Every structure is written in structure tokens, then in C-alpha cells.
Amino acid sequence: DTGVSQDPRHKITKRGQNVTFRCDPISEHNRLYWYRQTLGQGPEFLTYFQNEAQLEKSRLLSDRFSAERPKGSFSTLEIQRTEQGDSAMYLCASSPADTQYFGPGTRLTVL
Amino acid sequence: GEDVEQSLFLSVREGDSSVINCTYTDSSSTYLYWYKQEPGAGLQLLTYIFSNMDMKQDQRLTVLLNKKDKHLSLRIADTQTGDSAIYFCAVRGSNYQLIWGAGSKLIIKP
């Protein structure tokens, strides 16, 4: 078991550009979560999948954000028309049931 | 809404015990977690406790839960320099999402 992986680890982009992040969960974990973490804060929930179904989206998630998990395995998180306020660490976690295991995160910097 | 609060810093001497405290507001939380985050690293699950328990011990870690006061603590015995990190308390909310505190930075004095 190789753990949760995320790609890329770092992304620098200019305001207004679109970015896409990928998360590969631990195999056979049916739940997958996306969180966002800013400096000095705990993670904030963004969205959650059970298999391929997106079951909940936070009110924090504006319509510029979209997430998919097309085959119930890896997931992508896309941010359109990035803003400087989107700069943060984007964390993915997978879960078999009651525990969540996190990947290393993707650090996004919007210039 | 649900809220989780932690003290921001804790400083202890190497070899002493560290106690990190957390309070939460959602009395229906069923699972409560402690995660560790080292600089530049991801969140590592340390331990968790189910709400019908009041204590859980795992090697140097002891978790205490006072459900009446909605208070959770993590005790680290014989604190080592490798324990320097930020420790996050999290409680499970609706739909299995986690609600997080802001983290407690543990500083080890030699």
C-alpha cells in the first residue's frame, strides 16, 4: 500500500488561469475527500465522494471549483479563473470507513 | 455551526509529558481524532476515539474524552524532539467530514 498520492506537489499560476489537481487514493478506499488548508489554520472541508458519487459540497466551494471521481478511483479538483485568495494547500484524503488518510497535498500559489 | 478550539502553543521539556487540549461544540460527534503535521509534511493520523469511550492508550499516547464537557485531550509521555509538530484535533461531523481545530504547536525544550 503506497498511501494517498497527489500531483502536482506545487503549482504556481497567474490570476485568471485554470488549474487541475489529481488525487490517487489508497486502493479500495471508497470514500475520498478534498480539503483546503491555509497557513495557521486547520483544514476546511470542500467536498466528498463515495465511490463515483459526489455526496456533499461545502458552501465554501464556489462555482469556479469542480471535482470529479469518474471511475470511483482517482479524483480531480479543478479551479477555474483562479484568484489570489485561492492560494492554499489542497489536501486529499481517502477513507475505508471511520478514518481518513491524507496525501502530502498540492500547494497552490496564485500570483 | 460546529466549532473546534485548541490552544495555539505548548512548550515542554524533553522527557516530560505533553498535554494538548481541545474543546468542541457538536455533542453528536461520534469519532474524535488527533493528527500530527510536521513542517512540509502531510497530516498523519495518530489516534482516534469513539464517543462511547472515555480513554484510549496507544504506546506513549493517551487520549481522554470528557463527553459532558465536550473536552478531548492528548497526552504524550516522555516527549522527544521528534514530537515537535503541530497537533490537530478533529471531530467527525455530518456526512463523515472532519471539523478541525486550528492546531497546537508543540515546542520541545532541551
Side-chain angles (χ1 to χ4, degrees):
Chain A
D1 191 342
T2 58
V4 180
S5 61
Q6 293 187 245
D7 184 68
R9 296 290 306 276
H10 304 272
K11 178 72 178 177
I12 300 173
T13 192
K14 292 183 179 177
R15 190 161 48 107
Q17 298 294 304
N18 298 344
V19 294
T20 300
F21 310 141
R22 177 180 170 124
C23 171
D24 286 90
I26 294 169
S27 58
E28 297 181 2
H29 281 192
N30 61 351
R31 294 189 189 130
L32 187 149
Y33 301 79
W34 285 98
Y35 292 84
R36 179 172 65 188
Q37 186 180 24
T38 53
L39 200 61
Q41 299 296 318
E44 294 174 300
F45 169 77
L46 293 178
T47 191
Y48 146 62
F49 292 84
Q50 181 152 328
N51 300 312
E52 66 275 10
Q54 187 174 17
L55 296 187
E56 187 169 351
K57 288 172 63 171
S58 165
R59 287 187 292 270
L60 294 174
L61 215 63
S62 78
D63 56 8
R64 296 184 298 106
F65 288 70
S66 62
E68 292 183 341
R69 194 182 183 199
K71 296 180 181 177
S73 56
F74 74 91
S75 176
T76 58
L77 177 69
E78 181 184 15
I79 310 174
Q80 295 183 325
R81 304 182 303 281
T82 51
E83 302 173 356
Q84 288 184 321
D86 297 331
S87 294
M89 178 76 86
Y90 289 83
L91 298 166
C92 174
S94 73
S95 172
D98 301 316
T99 49
Q100 295 184 23
Y101 298 91
F102 282 79
T106 295
R107 181 168 295 284
L108 173 66
T109 303
V110 182
L111 302 175
Chain B
E2 297 141 349
D3 192 27
V4 177
E5 293 195 356
Q6 303 177 237
S7 52
L8 293 182
F9 295 96
L10 176 67
S11 178
V12 298
R13 291 201 180 280
E14 190 175 359
D16 287 352
S17 292
S18 307
V19 179
I20 305 169
N21 294 301
C22 170
T23 57
Y24 59 97
T25 57
D26 184 3
S27 58
S28 66
S29 297
T30 52
Y31 283 90
L32 303 101
Y33 305 84
W34 285 102
Y35 282 82
K36 177 183 181 182
Q37 189 173 43
E38 295 177 271
L43 288 155
Q44 176 194 352
L45 176 64
L46 285 178
T47 187
Y48 64 100
I49 191 167
F50 188 55
S51 58
N52 69 353
M53 299 167 67
D54 51 21
M55 186 180 93
K56 181 178 180 181
Q57 188 151 4
D58 183 2
Q59 300 182 333
R60 291 191 299 123
L61 306 179
T62 303
V63 178
L64 295 177
L65 174 61
N66 181 329
K67 205 173 172 188
K68 174 176 166 289
D69 294 340
K70 298 178 200 166
H71 182 268
L72 183 73
S73 68
L74 174 70
R75 178 177 179 267
I76 305 172
D78 186 26
T79 309
Q80 303 297 310
T81 54
D83 295 324
S84 290
I86 299 175
Y87 290 82
F88 288 93
C89 168
V91 302
R92 194 167 85 175
S94 59
N95 284 329
Y96 305 97
Q97 62 173 277
L98 297 183
I99 313 299
W100 298 76
S104 300
K105 185 169 185 176
L106 178 60
I107 299 164
I108 314 299
K109 295 182 284 189

